[in-house]
Each structure stands twice: as structure tokens, then as C-alpha cells.
Amino acid sequence: MGLGGDGDEIDAVEKAFARFGIPVPYDDAPNWVTVGDLWASLLRLLPRAAEQPDAFFRFCRDLCDKPGTDPHLIDENSRLIL
């Protein structure tokens, strides 16, 4: 994904969770390796997000905002930090 461990990842994750109006579950952070791991944390707190047709894409778009990655190229297996 292009998040590099220089602080941009925190901004990106906070923005992605804020879109859904929920706080970032930082206790889950040690388990976040892929975008799917982050998405699973969000769904644990807000299961109805999975019912929204474009929710995952919007989540990815917010994650990709800072590193400038094309959100269309992101899937659940995409690694957060290269």
C-alpha cells in the first residue's frame, strides 16, 4: 500500500475509521498486517458496514489518501507497509 511507518499510516487509519464514525481500535494494531486485518477490526465494531455496497472501497480510498496509492489496486490481501 505504501504506508511507510513515518506517521502517515496513523493518519490514514484514523481517517478510514472516522469515515464510519468509530474510534480506531488501537488494541488490534499488533495484528494489522494487511488491509483485510484493518477491515476486520472495523467490522468487529460495526458489522453493518459489510452491508454497504461500496464501504470497502471507501475505506480503501481513505487509507490510500496520504501515500497516494490508487484505491482500485487495493484488496484485503494488500500489505499495509511495504
Side-chain angles (χ1 to χ4, degrees):
M1 254 205 58
L3 298 174
D6 59 357
D8 62 347
E9 70 281 1
I10 295 168
D11 292 337
V13 169
E14 286 178 348
K15 183 176 181 179
F17 278 82
R19 169 176 292 284
F20 293 90
I22 58 174
V24 178
Y26 287 110
D27 290 345
D28 293 354
N31 300 316
W32 295 338
V33 175
T34 66
V35 172
D37 297 332
L38 273 177
W39 182 242
S41 288
L42 184 138
L43 292 179
R44 185 177 54 77
L45 297 172
L46 189 68
R48 64 184 165 87
E51 299 167 9
Q52 300 172 13
D54 64 342
F56 182 72
F57 176 75
R58 289 184 292 133
F59 185 73
C60 291
R61 188 175 59 210
D62 288 337
L63 285 175
C64 294
D65 186 44
K66 290 283 185 184
T69 304
D70 182 347
H72 292 99
L73 302 176
I74 302 300
D75 64 23
E76 291 190 30
N77 295 314
S78 298
R79 294 184 63 78
L80 295 169
I81 297 176
L82 301 174

